[in-house]
């Protein structure tokens, strides 16, 4: 139990640090170049990254060969899939509604897959 708490604290510390770094980069881009898309897309994608991590943690804690374990695996898998599609969809919707589908702003759509990769790796390492 203590190892699980320690892993949870380490993961949450990494997520908090990542939040601070993302907000600092977004604020720097906003104040220097008046680019607000980065910080908004980061804010859209960040909660979905946390959902990805906690769904992996949920699957790991309830993984067994019984039918309950299979159901928890299916729930975690669907939750991760929906969170990835949701973050990408909301990010694209934001860019579409703000007319940011041009070349410089559309590259911010890569923030969501990068955050999901980080969330997935942290979920695998600190289950």
């Amino acid at each position: 139990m203590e190892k699980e708490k320690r892993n949870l604290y380490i993961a949450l510390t990494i997520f908090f640090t990542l939040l601070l770094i993302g907000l600092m980069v977004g604020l720097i881009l906003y104040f220097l170049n008046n680019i607000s898309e980065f910080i908004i897309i980061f804010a859209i994608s960040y909660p979905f990254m946390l959902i990805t991590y906690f769904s992996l943690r949920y699957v790991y804690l309830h993984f067994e060969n019984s039918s309950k374990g299979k159901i928890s695996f299916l729930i975690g898998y669907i939750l991760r899939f929906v969170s990835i599609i949701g973050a990408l969809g909301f990010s694209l919707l934001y860019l579409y509604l703000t007319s940011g589908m041009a070349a410089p702003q559309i590259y911010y759509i890569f923030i969501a897959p990068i955050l999901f990769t980080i969330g997935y790796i942290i979920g695998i390492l600190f289950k």
Side-chain angles (χ1 to χ4, degrees):
M1 187 68 175
E2 181 158 325
K3 184 178 180 182
E4 291 177 13
K5 280 187 177 181
R6 182 180 58 91
N7 286 343
L8 181 63
Y9 290 143
I10 291 171
L12 290 178
T13 303
I14 292 171
F15 286 133
F16 185 71
T17 305
L18 185 64
L19 176 67
L20 290 178
I21 290 170
L23 290 177
M24 284 191 306
V25 168
L27 289 174
I28 288 170
L29 284 173
Y30 180 71
F31 287 125
L32 293 181
N33 294 330
N34 201 17
I35 298 172
S36 63
E37 286 87 5
F38 180 88
I39 197 162
I40 296 196
I41 292 177
F42 182 81
I44 290 171
S45 300
Y46 188 80
F48 290 106
M49 179 187 63
L50 291 175
I51 291 171
T52 302
Y53 168 71
F54 284 114
S55 70
L56 277 168
R57 188 167 173 81
Y58 172 77
V59 167
Y60 176 72
L61 291 176
H62 299 289
F63 189 74
E64 50 209 34
N65 284 331
S66 67
S67 63
K68 182 181 177 184
K70 292 176 184 177
I71 290 173
S72 68
F73 177 76
L74 185 63
I75 289 171
Y77 187 76
I78 290 172
L79 194 59
R80 284 192 304 272
F81 181 73
V82 168
S83 66
I84 290 170
I85 297 299
L88 288 173
F90 285 130
S91 298
L92 282 172
L93 180 66
Y94 170 76
L95 289 174
Y96 177 74
L97 292 176
T98 59
S99 301
M101 299 295 275
Q105 290 90 5
I106 196 67
Y107 296 129
Y108 293 127
I109 199 66
F110 292 118
I111 295 170
I114 290 169
L115 287 178
F116 286 119
T117 304
I118 291 170
Y120 191 78
I121 290 171
I122 292 172
I124 296 293
L125 292 177
F126 299 106
K127 17 182 176 174

